[in-house]
Amino acid sequence: MNKGKISFTYLSQQDLLKSGCFDMKMALSATEKGLIAYSNNEVLFPEKIVQIFNQETQERINCLPATFLSEKICGVKWVSVFPLNPMKYGVQNLSATIVLSEIEKGYPIAVMDGTLCSNIRVAAMGALAAKYLARKDSRSIGFIGAGEQAKMHLIGMKSVLPGLEECRVSAKNEHEEDAFVEEMSRLLPEMKFVVARTNGRIAMEGADVLVTATSAQAPLLKAVWMKPGAFYSHIGGWEDEYGVARQCDKIVCDDWETVKHRTQTISRMYKDGELNDENIYANIVDLVTGKKKGRENEDERIYFNAVGLSYVDISIAMAMYNRAIEFNIGQNLDLQEQMIFQNQMLTQWVKL
Ligand SMILES: NC(=O)c1ccc[n+]([C@@H]2O[C@H](COP(=O)([O-])OP(=O)(O)OC[C@H]3O[C@@H](n4cnc5c(N)ncnc54)[C@H](O)[C@@H]3O)[C@@H](O)[C@H]2O)c1
């Protein structure tokens, strides 16, 4: 084989789906692994690079690298977020590509779809929190928001709370609620779905598990709708009134130091002096490693806030890549056949 050859595996979203990578259990385990590796200082996680094209709509493309030193894999997620896409074009707002490289020669090993990975990561983080913090006998789940994150979250929650049997959903428009039910009932035919006809109260009041996954910046979830014993997973920006966090017995984050500096509800509360470090019970890794207890009684109201940790995307991407390779799925593509000056045809191709 030519020594100068560099090739990688190209994995489309279809390839990942066909290899069985839409697998919440695999994502949960990769999430736990990623969190533990990071807490053991085995992950290089530099600052993300953000390019915002429109301050008002927050249309942006971000570049998020991370290296797993034990696995000897460096990855990057290149992710676009165009929040108006669903409204303007009827398509998803987030799309991502992931590149994985080995760190012996530093060559790429995979170029792959990152949208599946990114969306699964958000849901896996919420589901991991639910595993430790929701009541095991949870039967009902309520959603404000019926977009991509909400859909994926339902799959994640069902995988850790198999007793979920009723799902209520509210969105900005009724047609989104209908689309949610149509798509999700195909995957979860046993689930009873209730459309709330844009009324957040109908979706959330009295539910065992509450999820907000919206593009809104408003206090949509009301504290009185959250019953004792309920678990709340907060995904978007500002989605709930301050009273929700204020009344919760525990507030857990994916990473409080990161959350603090963003614009989600509890970040706003922190900046407004309504909440401080002492009010945060734990980061999720403390539950995974057993350093802190999860739910301690049936009546606790528990708030989980995820801001998104992109090194977890790379951890999940590695698991997906390994699974695809195991099933021999994906295309092997050459990046270069040989080193530039080894090309026999170079004399004809070079322009001096
Ligand atoms: N925390 C994380 O790790 C993470 C990761 C990815 C995305 N997000 C965030 O999750 C949120 C949802 O993302 P998505 O991809 O599902 O978006 P999406 O555009 O597909 O869905 C947004 C949903 O919000 C609903 N909505 C908007 N305004 C509303 C209102 N006033 N009342 C009720 N519902 C309303 C819409 O009807 C829609 O169903 C976004 O804010 C996104 O930035 C968070």
Side-chain angles (χ1 to χ4, degrees), residues 86 93 121-122 146-149 171-172 176 214-216 220 235 306-308:
N93 75 56
R121 183 261 306 160
V122 188
E148 297 301 289
Q149 302 303 337
K172 203 169 179 182
E176 282 183 277
T214 75
S215 48
L220 302 173
I235 301 166
V307 73

Side-chain angles (χ1 to χ4, degrees), residues 60 77 81-87 91-94 118-119 121-123 125 144-151 169-173 176-177 180 198 200 212-218 220 234-239 254 264 305-309:
R60 59 196 186 272
K77 180 170 80 156
V81 181
F82 280 64
L84 297 189
N85 278 0
M87 207 179 73
V91 294
Q92 72 203 39
N93 75 56
L94 182 149
S118 197
N119 289 353
R121 183 261 306 160
V122 188
M125 193 60 89
I144 302 183
E148 297 301 289
Q149 302 303 337
K151 289 172 200 164
V169 61
S170 70
K172 203 169 179 182
N173 306 299
E176 282 183 277
E177 297 172 358
F180 178 100
T198 76
T212 53
T214 75
S215 48
Q217 293 295 334
L220 302 173
H234 175 114
I235 301 166
W238 175 30
E239 304 178 300
D254 53 355
Q264 293 175 299
N305 187 103
V307 73
L309 302 171

